[in-house]
Amino acid sequence: MEKKLCVLGFESSCDETGVALVELRGAGVPLLLAHALYSQVEMHQAYGGVVPELASRDHIRRVLPLTEQVLAESGRTLADVDVLAFTRGPGLAGALLVGAGVACALAAALGKPVLGVHHLEGHLLSPFLSADPPEFPFVALLVSGGHTQLMRVDGVGRYQILGETIDDAAGEAFDKSAKLLGLGYPGGPALSRLAQHGNPAAFKLPRPLLHSDNLDFSFAGLKTAVMVQARKCAAAQSCQVEALPIDTLADLAASTQAAIVEVLVKKSLAALKQTNLKRLVVAGGVGANRPLRDHLNGQCAQRGIRVHYPELDLCTDNGAMIAMAAAMRLQSGQQEASAVYAFDVKPRWPLDAIFIS
Ligand code: KG4
Ligand code: ZN
């Protein structure tokens, strides 16, 4: 009979508590049985960003009710769980400790093994949860709040970085630009919503490293350019940036988004050309951005390239991607779950630390 393995995964690296149950059946793509998510966005909004101590405390409040919800929705009990998985890093230390502590405590109580997962590997493999999962090999554009990387992916753990940001990540560029336009937190979705009503060609903003001969990115200068343009407009209108007319703010937002999207699309196409691969996977929170998807879809269709994304609700942080990454690591034989319950977390953890050479 086909071997089945149930993985219960916990994500708590930042401001989202995620729990999910995934079932691994032989060599097939693991199946998501249920997942539950609680976003702390509202709580942190008042502070304009994530407050780490508040995040940790809220993870503690949410994690067990979410676990009960996932078990109830999947019709399983803890006795059905074979492996416990958690985000080991990178992320906020206190927040990571909540997921790690709960996973290891449950594992110890149940006598089941445990596996720590790299958060970015979770994002990277999240498109395998979609209705249209990719096949290896592919080029991956990983665009989250803290990372912007282009990778060649040949299998689980077989990753090669082709290029990455030398300063700010794309998500950071969205968030910082949104903040200085007074759009609050989280900035990416807010800026993108406002940009729908603006003219992307209204302001000339830099496209950093667009024509460089490598696949690296640089977004730090963009927020400065946005700030300069916004202040110019504000000076002309004798007001603060936040008090600019909504049309001007929308034009600034649309121009910012257009600059980020153009660079991400061009570099992704260059990576596909360089590797001669015909498949692109986009993962991480910025992958939820509609214009980015539209531009990539259009450009790739012209070149016979298939693009895969995670489902929209699994682009940002969630437990499903952690359970999925753990299941795929186990399935590929790249890692075994451990019966040692003394856990540690890795707030800083470069992705290449888990590469298989
Ligand atoms: O992957 P993620 O949820 O968390 C990290 O691991 O960092 O990514 C969060 C990032 C934030 O910078 C957020 O502003 C951005 O993804 N983001 C978006 C959109 N949705 C989330 N950026 C642009 N457009 C969106 N629709
Ligand atoms: Zn993330």
Side-chain angles (χ1 to χ4, degrees), residues 33-84:
L33 298 180
H35 85 108
L37 189 69
Y38 182 83
S39 171
Q40 304 175 355
V41 159
E42 238 170 75
M43 181 177 74
H44 297 294
Q45 238 153 15
Y47 305 93
V50 179
V51 183
E53 181 58 25
L54 292 183
S56 316
R57 291 181 193 197
D58 205 58
H59 286 308
I60 294 172
R61 273 194 288 273
R62 309 293 170 190
V63 66
L64 291 181
L66 289 175
T67 306
E68 282 164 3
Q69 188 185 329
V70 163
L71 290 170
E73 276 174 24
S74 59
R76 309 292 159 108
T77 68
L78 279 178
D80 297 314
V81 174
D82 299 299
V83 177
L84 286 294

Side-chain angles (χ1 to χ4, degrees), residues 11 13-14 119-120 123 144-145 284-285 315-318 321:
E11 155 63 31
S13 66
C14 190
H119 180 83
L120 291 179
H123 277 302
S144 69
C315 272
T316 46
D317 295 348
N318 62 82
M321 67 185 199

